Each structure stands twice: as C-alpha cells, then as structure tokens.
Amino acid sequence: MGKNKSSSSSATLPTAFHRGVIFLCLSLIFFSLLLASTPPPIQKQQEEHRIALDYSDVLEYDAANAPGIQKLLGNVQLSHQSWIMKCDSAYLKEEENQFEAFGTIRITEGDTISITAKYLFYDGNTKIAQLRNTVELRNSTAVLYTDSLDYDRNLNVGYYFDTGTIVDSLNTLTSIYGEYTPRLNEAIFRNMVELTHPDFTLNTDYLRYNTNSKIAYFQGPTTIQSDSGHIESTRGVYDTDKDVGILLDRSVVYQKRGTITGDSLLYDRKEKFAESFGNMVLTDTINKAILQGEYGYYDEKKEYAFTTQRASLTDYSRPDTLYMGADTLESIQVKRGKEDIRLSRAYHNVRLFRRDIQAVADSARYFTLDSTLTLYKTPILWQEQTQVEGDTIKIYFIADSLDRSLASPNAKVMREIEKDKYEQLKGDSLLTFFADSTVREVQVHGNAEMIYYAQQEALKRYYALGHIKAPQIISYIDQDTLRKTIWNGAVEGKIYPIEQVTPDIALLSGLSWKSSLRPQSSEDIFQIERDSLGTPIPYTPKSLSDLSRFSGAHAAKNAYEMLENQIALYTTIPNDSISSLSSSPGEKEPLPSTLPIYVRRLEEQNQPWQAPSYEQLLKNNPLSKLWDSFSSTAIENRDNFSTLPSTGIPLRRHEKSVSKPSDGK
C-alpha cells in the first residue's frame, strides 16, 4: 500500500515543471516579438516634428556661453516636413525646436512656393515663420514683396502688416495690411489698398483678389480711375482681365458725356456700356438731359440710352426745361460731319410738361434732324388755354421755340375763352402756328367745322354762337382774342343767340375739354394710381429680379438701325423737300412719315421690343398720304383783306392756295 503512494507522487512532479517551462518560453517569445516591432507612434511623431539639420559647412557649440544653441555657418540647410530652408548662417535650438537664420535666405516647398528674405525666425512647434527685410514670396501666379511677413504653415497663409505689394501678370496691388494664400492664389488687402491696372487704378480700404482669375471683390468707399472716366462704389466685384464690374449699393459711373447711377450696375469699361438695375439716373452733361427709371442701359460708343419702368426725361438744354414721363424712354445719337443727330423716343403712357406746352400721348419721338416732336395714338396738346387733339400731332421747333404743330387725321382744337365757353375747330388736318409761345393762327383742312362766339367788345359780352362748316377754315388770334376767320369753299352754318345755346349746340361732336388729363407741373408726369376710395397709392419700385427681362443691348441694336434708316431717308430726298414748310399746302407732295403710330407694347411672354422694318413703317402709316407741309403764308397777301372776323371767302378767290398738286398738265 505504501509503495503505490510513492509511485503516484513522483509521476506528477515532471508534469507541473514542464508546464511552467512552456509558459515561460511563450512569454519570452511574445515579448521579443513585441520589442522587435516598429517604434511607438509618439516617437515617430516627435521625429517628424523636429527641425532637421541637413547640412552646414561649420557647426559650433559653446556650452558655457550659449548652452543649447548650435551655431551653423556656411551653406546651411535645414528642413521641416515639406519646407527646405537655406541660409548663410543660423542659430539652431534643438530643445526648443526653433532656429534663427541670417543672410541670403531661401525657402522652398516643392515647386509651389518659394520665399526669400534677409532674416528668418522659425518655430517648428507652431509652424510659424517670421521673415524680415526684403521679403519675396512667389508662387506660379504672383510675387509678394514686403519687409515684414509672418507665414502660418498651418493655414498656408502669409501676413504682412507694414505695407506690402503683390504683382501678377496684369495688376500690382499694395496695402498697409495683407494676407496671401499661395495655394489658392487668394489675397486679402486692408487699409489704403491700391490696385494698379495698365488702364485704370482702383483705390479702396478692403479688397479680396485672386491672382489667377484676376477678379477683385471690394467693400467700402472705392474709386476706379481711368483716362476715360471713373467709378465710385462701396461694394462690388471687378474682373480686371475682362474689364467688367458688378457695382452694388448705389454706385456711380462717370463717363465723358455724363454719369450713370443705380442700385446695382453692370459696367463694361472696354465696351463702354453700363446696365443699371434699380433707381437708375443717367445724366448727359453734353446734351444737358437726365434720364431716370428702374432699369437703365447706356452705350457710350453708340451714344445710346434706354430706361424703363417709370421712366422720365428732364431736358435742361434750353431755358424752358422739358419734363417727360413714360413707361420706356430711349435716345440714340450719331455724328454726321460736324452735326450731332439724335433720335429720342418715349412709349407708353407719355406725359410731357414744359412751361409753354403740355401733352399726353401713348408714344412720342423727337428727331433733331427736322427739330420735330411727334405724338402718337390719341395725343392731346395743351398750350395756355388751347387744347389740340388728333390721331397724331407733330410739333415743330425753331431754335427750341415753339413754331407750329400739325394734327391729323381727326384733328380737333378747343380754346377756352371763359368757363364752359370754348371756341372749337375740327377737320381732317389742323395746323397751328405760334409766336412767342402763343397761338396766333389755326388752319383746318378738309371737312372743317367751327364754333365761335361773337362778342360786343365794348361790353365784353358774348351775344351769339356761330356754327360753320367749310372745306377750309383759317383763324387768326391776337392777344388771346379771335380777330379774323377765313372760310374757303362752300360754306354753311347757323348763328344762335346766346340765350338759345344748349350744351349739345355748344360743343362739336367728338370734342370735350380734358383739363383733368393735363400735366400741371414737372412732378405731374406720371399718372397717379388710386385705390377704390380715390386715395393715391404710393409708388413701389420693381424688384431687381423683375427687371432682368429687359435688354438694353437688344434695344440699342434696333434703335441704331432705325436711326440709320431715318438719316438715309433724309439724305436721299432733295434738300428743298426737307426745307421749311412750303409756301402753300398744294404746291409740293408731302414727305412720307416714317414712324409707326405707336410703339408696340412689351408683353410679359414676348422678347424685348424689336423695331418694325422701314418698309412696314411706310406701309402701315396713314400719315404718308396726308399733307405734311403747310405754312402761315398759305393764303397770299392775307393781311390785305378787309373782311370782318368770321367772313366766308369763296374758293375762286384763292385757287392758287387750295388747288391740288399739279399733275404736270
């Protein structure tokens, strides 16, 4: 029994020993493999963070006088991550991971940037370099020059704070303070910023600029000065390569002929045109005129101006200023020899105020070649107490003085002599002559009718009303009094005692006094909208997005072509045909009118307005078959007549004056 116990105990001892040996061997193998692996990450990061000394001709170390500082002399090269730094000499502080460099310093980062300076302090921990004295930072698009530059490698941005200059292939930019990001080609300039372009100079207090795209973003009071003019703005974007700018916050463009102002402007300096959105004001200092509207366009090369949405014109070229309001206004000018020829048009809802005349119409145009203002589509012209109507009214000026007007067809004229009493004329065409801005003579041709009041001059009392019909009626007015009337042709009519005059007798058919439509002042050139109670509704400007459908450039092309056609028409007609009005209505064929009755409206779904062709204008215009030339001398020796006022003159006594144009027989 004892033998068995001894045998069992001796068998277990080797087994426990072996297990211990095996465990020890496995542990040694595991730790040896672990120790044989790569160094700890912290150690690697520390090595990458350290500034490395690549080369130096001489290395000196003075432990007593300069502990921890290595003095490097001759062809020194230090590196830190992607930066290679070369200099003539340096002090390297390995413990602090910093160094100072002197002499000719050059820093490169691959082929993207290079920096040169005379002094450098670099901290490898913060990755910030401080460079001083004749610093140059270069990348593929520009060079930065300054005497003090701090470069933050974490953000890849260089900062200067004591004046610096950036030069690229097109522009030179200087400022007191600046930031430059070479990898993005982006620069920020502050304080006394100046951008010098070969053709202009930009000055501002804040500017962002891309040296690759050559686009500048400015903010604050800004001027752009060139030989052809200058710009004043407070915020905008300017493409210096294309010479095009977007100017915001009520900017002003000054050109040789004037200024254009708007809430926002698109300005092309090379092509010399400006497009304005929001409260545009265009001042023409040469022609002495001001255009205003919500949208505007001005082409200095073509001398073309266009404005729409509550458009207005103020023409102060003469002592009697002209004020005009319309939906749209445009003006274009060309030079022929020494003469400037200008065509101005207004459409629709035209309202005109001048001290001597006022008018309303759907459309209007003024042409300097013949000094005429033409009103289209149910126009009304007022002059003192006289009201003139017709499908079209043409007003002639001589030296800016009102000379005569021609209304046709469906011509009507009324003259208020006292309340509810009007002298009236109507017919196919009506010619009115003025002297000293006063009506002096009225001629009615074709189906003429007249209502006049007979007066006892001594008592200043009207005692009768006359209603006369004749082929032609000519009336003379002096000192606001009807002095004489000539009736040509077969005459018929009636005389009514004043007591028998009723409202239906007192007015010719189709005539009414429209004083409520008459502009009363320079501020009354827009129709006032009212609510259901009659209270005026304040005007609300259109938003900029609503104005985007207008194209001034498109309108300029059509207007320029129309003006050339107009000039061509005049140059192909003999001079005697476009001289002053002929001596009698029937002696010459009249000039055909070349204008539409009114300009087609722009519907929301339509393209910008396009001018009709010259052939369409002639074909569609009924005025081309009407007399367009009359004169105050149409009746020979009229002042020699001894007739009383309102005396009929038989046709046979004035055959020369009213005969039809000769057919050559």
Side-chain angles (χ1 to χ4, degrees):
M1 187 173 178
K3 181 179 178 181
N4 291 341
K5 182 177 181 181
S6 176
S7 175
S8 174
S9 176
S10 63
T12 59
L13 288 174
T15 303
F17 174 77
H18 290 152
R19 283 200 301 267
V21 172
I22 293 171
F23 176 77
L24 179 61
C25 292
L26 291 174
S27 298
L28 292 173
I29 293 171
F30 172 77
F31 283 111
S32 64
L33 290 174
L34 185 63
L35 292 173
S37 63
T38 57
I42 294 176
Q43 181 179 350
K44 181 178 181 181
Q45 290 176 2
Q46 289 176 345
E47 291 179 359
E48 290 180 349
H49 186 66
R50 309 304 297 176
I51 297 171
L53 171 59
D54 298 331
Y55 184 83
S56 177
D57 289 345
V58 177
L59 188 154
E60 297 179 355
Y61 182 75
D62 188 344
N65 297 317
I69 299 176
Q70 300 179 39
K71 185 176 181 180
L72 311 173
L73 301 172
N75 297 315
V76 179
Q77 177 174 308
L78 299 155
S79 60
H80 186 238
Q81 297 178 359
S82 58
W83 267 29
I84 305 297
M85 295 163 279
K86 297 180 179 180
C87 60
D88 294 338
S89 61
Y91 291 118
L92 175 62
K93 301 178 182 179
E94 281 192 307
E95 291 297 325
E96 289 86 350
N97 200 31
Q98 300 173 346
F99 73 88
E100 285 185 275
F102 308 92
T104 303
I105 300 167
R106 180 177 178 82
I107 302 171
T108 57
E109 184 175 12
D111 57 358
T112 58
I113 67 169
S114 67
I115 307 174
T116 59
K118 298 298 184 181
Y119 171 84
L120 166 65
F121 174 80
Y122 183 74
D123 188 326
N125 301 316
T126 62
K127 296 178 67 174
I128 291 177
Q130 296 177 322
L131 301 109
R132 303 292 183 265
N133 300 332
T134 61
V135 182
E136 294 184 15
L137 186 157
R138 296 175 179 268
N139 71 343
S140 60
T141 62
V143 183
L144 186 158
Y145 300 94
T146 185
D147 275 339
S148 299
L149 181 73
D150 290 352
Y151 195 94
D152 186 340
R153 296 191 62 197
N154 302 288
L155 301 175
N156 290 305
V157 179
Y159 306 86
Y160 65 82
F161 40 85
D162 189 19
T163 305
T165 300
I166 291 181
V167 179
D168 62 19
S169 60
L170 183 62
N171 300 306
T172 299
L173 302 100
T174 61
S175 64
I176 301 299
Y177 172 86
E179 304 174 12
Y180 187 48
T181 308
R183 289 184 180 178
L184 301 177
N185 301 307
E186 288 281 351
I188 295 176
F189 304 87
R190 300 178 190 270
N191 301 332
M192 299 181 65
V193 184
E194 181 171 282
L195 183 156
T196 303
H197 181 277
D199 298 324
F200 64 84
T201 301
L202 184 154
N203 293 96
T204 186
D205 282 333
Y206 176 83
L207 185 76
R208 287 196 299 120
Y209 179 76
N210 188 287
T211 56
N212 184 40
S213 67
K214 310 295 189 290
I215 295 176
Y217 305 81
F218 58 84
Q219 190 165 358
T222 303
T223 61
I224 303 175
Q225 183 73 48
S226 67
D227 293 339
S228 60
H230 73 282
I231 297 169
E232 292 181 0
S233 182
T234 56
R235 185 164 63 98
V237 181
Y238 205 92
D239 187 330
T240 63
D241 185 32
K242 296 180 179 179
D243 222 346
V244 176
I246 297 174
L247 314 172
L248 308 174
D249 298 345
R250 210 72 199 133
S251 300
V252 185
V253 176
Y254 294 83
Q255 298 174 314
K256 289 183 177 180
R257 300 191 65 90
T259 65
I260 182 168
T261 307
D263 291 346
S264 63
L265 293 171
L266 171 64
Y267 180 60
D268 188 322
R269 203 189 67 84
K270 283 184 179 178
E271 297 300 322
K272 297 188 182 302
F273 76 80
E275 192 170 20
S276 171
F277 298 88
N279 193 15
M280 186 280 302
V281 179
L282 172 63
T283 302
D284 185 343
T285 55
I286 304 298
N287 292 314
K288 296 184 178 180
I290 301 172
L291 277 175
Q292 293 178 268
E294 288 306 308
Y295 168 84
Y297 176 91
Y298 180 62
D299 187 329
E300 189 175 16
K301 285 185 176 180
K302 289 185 170 67
E303 296 188 27
Y304 173 79
F306 175 96
T307 182
T308 190
Q309 298 292 318
R310 199 175 172 86
S312 68
L313 165 68
T314 303
D315 186 337
Y316 59 96
S317 59
R318 302 292 180 179
D320 195 356
T321 301
L322 169 69
Y323 303 90
M324 184 184 295
D327 294 347
T328 299
L329 288 163
E330 63 178 345
S331 176
I332 188 167
Q333 182 167 299
V334 297
K335 198 170 190 68
R336 290 294 183 270
K338 295 182 179 181
E339 184 178 10
D340 288 328
I341 300 173
R342 180 158 47 98
L343 173 65
S344 301
R345 301 191 300 166
Y347 48 94
H348 303 276
N349 303 314
V350 176
R351 291 174 64 81
L352 180 151
F353 179 86
R354 208 171 95 153
R355 181 179 52 82
D356 55 349
I357 59 171
Q358 301 83 46
V360 297
D362 178 79
S363 306
R365 76 116 192 199
Y366 180 74
F367 195 29
T368 60
L369 201 56
D370 57 3
S371 297
T372 59
L373 172 64
T374 309
L375 308 174
Y376 300 100
K377 195 179 180 184
T378 62
I380 307 174
L381 171 68
W382 291 272
Q383 197 282 323
E384 292 186 342
Q385 298 307 109
T386 302
Q387 173 183 292
V388 180
E389 297 180 75
D391 288 0
T392 300
I393 298 176
K394 182 175 287 188
I395 305 166
Y396 297 82
F397 295 90
I398 294 179
D400 195 55
S401 295
L402 190 60
D403 182 69
R404 60 197 182 276
S405 69
L406 173 64
S408 61
N410 301 318
K412 313 176 190 75
V413 62
M414 301 177 70
R415 196 170 70 90
E416 186 178 41
I417 55 176
E418 66 177 42
K419 185 173 176 58
D420 297 329
K421 286 186 174 62
Y422 308 97
E423 292 174 340
Q424 304 153 56
L425 285 163
K426 76 172 186 176
D428 294 339
S429 63
L430 185 147
L431 187 62
T432 305
F433 293 91
F434 303 88
D436 298 326
S437 298
T438 302
V439 176
R440 295 300 177 89
E441 178 183 340
V442 179
Q443 298 182 11
V444 182
H445 300 272
N447 301 309
E449 284 190 67
M450 177 181 186
I451 282 181
Y452 68 94
Y453 286 83
Q455 184 186 50
Q456 292 177 314
E457 291 191 11
L459 300 176
K460 299 297 182 183
R461 173 181 174 273
Y462 296 103
Y463 64 88
L465 177 148
H467 184 174
I468 306 298
K469 295 181 180 180
Q472 182 187 61
I473 298 176
I474 303 174
S475 295
Y476 302 93
I477 300 164
D478 184 31
Q479 296 182 356
D480 203 32
T481 301
L482 179 63
R483 296 299 182 187
K484 183 168 63 176
T485 299
I486 300 173
W487 308 322
N488 290 320
V491 179
E492 61 176 288
K494 293 182 180 181
I495 302 293
Y496 299 90
I498 198 69
E499 295 79 14
Q500 298 179 11
V501 175
T502 58
D504 59 318
I505 295 174
L507 286 176
L508 294 174
S509 63
L511 272 73
S512 63
W513 189 247
K514 300 181 176 67
S515 60
S516 62
L517 301 177
R518 184 177 190 173
Q520 300 298 320
S521 67
S522 59
E523 289 78 28
D524 191 22
I525 56 174
F526 294 107
Q527 290 180 323
I528 300 175
E529 294 187 22
R530 299 179 183 274
D531 60 20
S532 58
L533 299 177
T535 305
I537 301 174
Y539 172 71
T540 303
K542 298 285 185 181
S543 68
L544 298 184
S545 60
D546 291 336
L547 303 174
S548 61
R549 67 190 180 93
F550 293 102
S551 172
H554 187 94
K557 178 178 180 294
N558 291 308
Y560 192 77
E561 292 174 353
M562 174 174 280
L563 178 58
E564 291 295 334
N565 290 335
Q566 296 272 315
I567 296 172
L569 172 68
Y570 274 80
T571 56
T572 55
I573 294 176
N575 290 334
D576 58 350
S577 297
I578 59 174
S579 60
S580 61
L581 299 180
S582 61
S583 60
S584 66
E587 288 183 357
K588 291 191 178 86
E589 287 288 348
L591 289 178
S593 175
T594 61
L595 291 173
I597 295 301
Y598 62 98
V599 181
R600 179 164 59 88
R601 292 181 184 275
L602 175 64
E603 302 295 340
E604 292 288 340
Q605 67 272 17
N606 290 347
Q607 292 297 316
W609 178 83
Q610 296 187 23
S613 67
Y614 173 63
E615 290 74 19
Q616 289 173 324
L617 299 180
L618 289 177
K619 180 180 178 181
N620 298 332
N621 192 350
L623 296 183
S624 62
K625 297 183 180 179
L626 293 175
W627 286 345
D628 193 25
S629 54
F630 300 97
S631 79
S632 58
T633 59
I635 305 300
E636 295 180 358
N637 303 319
R638 66 185 64 212
D639 292 332
N640 295 328
F641 286 108
S642 59
T643 57
L644 297 174
S646 307
T647 301
I649 304 297
L651 178 62
R652 63 179 181 273
R653 291 187 58 182
H654 294 277
E655 291 178 350
K656 291 184 180 180
S657 301
V658 297
S659 61
K660 295 181 179 179
S662 173
D663 59 1
K665 295 181 180 180

